[in-house]
Amino acid sequence: MFATDKLKIAVLVSGRGSNLQSIVDACRSGEINADTVLVLSDNSKAKALERARNQSIKSKVLQRKNYDDVATYDVALSDAVEESGADLVCLAGFMRILSKKFIHRFDGNIINVHPSLLPSFPGLAAQRQALDHGVKVSGCTVHFVDEGVDTGPIIIQSCVPVMPRDTVESLSARILEQEHIIYPKAIQMIASGEVKRWLG
Ligand code: GRF
């Protein structure tokens, strides 16, 4: 890829797609030197698909139930990403754990956003975990994806205060605002070469 080329992004989603929206908006405004070439969902009812359609971005639904096993499903997923010509895979609320095969096929070129200050509170219900632990500060992290769950090298983080009366909903909303800021920033850090692809 030449320095002036736009980074091509495939975004994997399962639901609401607010992070997808922030990425697409940042591509359109020129904040990031990238194009979203594919939105891939494992859920045919994901609101993210509607967002993709509204922006005339190519989307594809691949549902696990239509494949015999996880291995075949993951091959279909990775084939779709490869066919799109994407240089970078962005997980944005994609609710499936990717197989080692998928991860190694796109080695160093998969990133994820997680709603906690990793390495604290990996996995599901990060905001619930933060509240249960009584932390006073939480936030979000964009990181490269390795074989573990939310364990790959950190690219960027942002923190938010945890208020005494916070609920999962109020804390999640405060964190989400920051996700929408740092996810496009992380992509631009990769697009500009400030952060190198990670070869784990
Ligand atoms: C975000 O909180 C993200 O951190 C987590 O899943 C949620 C996705 O939200 N991985 P959205 O679909 O981008 O609105």
Side-chain angles (χ1 to χ4, degrees), residues 13-21 48 51 91-95 112-116 127 140 172 175-176 179-180:
V13 295
S14 296
R16 180 177 57 185
S18 68
N19 278 290
L20 164 70
Q21 190 71 55
R51 295 180 193 267
L91 308 182
F94 187 63
M95 297 307 288
N112 180 43
V113 63
H114 183 76
S116 77
Q127 301 93 332
C140 48
S172 301
I175 292 173
L176 191 65
E179 294 181 33
H180 296 162

Side-chain angles (χ1 to χ4, degrees), residues 128 131 135-136 161-172 174:
R128 174 82 269 158
L131 289 175
V135 294
K136 305 302 172 214
V162 180
M163 305 298 194
R165 287 174 195 278
D166 261 337
T167 59
V168 169
E169 290 71 29
S170 63
L171 178 59
S172 301
R174 195 174 306 121

Side-chain angles (χ1 to χ4, degrees), residues 45-56:
K45 296 193 171 65
K47 181 156 191 274
L49 290 168
E50 203 181 304
R51 295 180 193 267
R53 274 192 297 273
N54 289 343
Q55 305 284 329
S56 307

Side-chain angles (χ1 to χ4, degrees), residues 82-120:
E82 200 162 297
E83 277 160 26
S84 76
D87 311 300
L88 183 70
V89 180
C90 298
L91 308 182
F94 187 63
M95 297 307 288
R96 300 190 57 82
I97 293 181
L98 295 167
S99 67
K100 286 180 187 170
K101 256 193 169 165
F102 184 104
I103 290 164
H104 291 301
R105 191 155 163 191
F106 303 102
D107 242 352
N109 296 307
I110 311 173
I111 63 175
N112 180 43
V113 63
H114 183 76
S116 77
L117 293 175
L118 291 172
S120 292

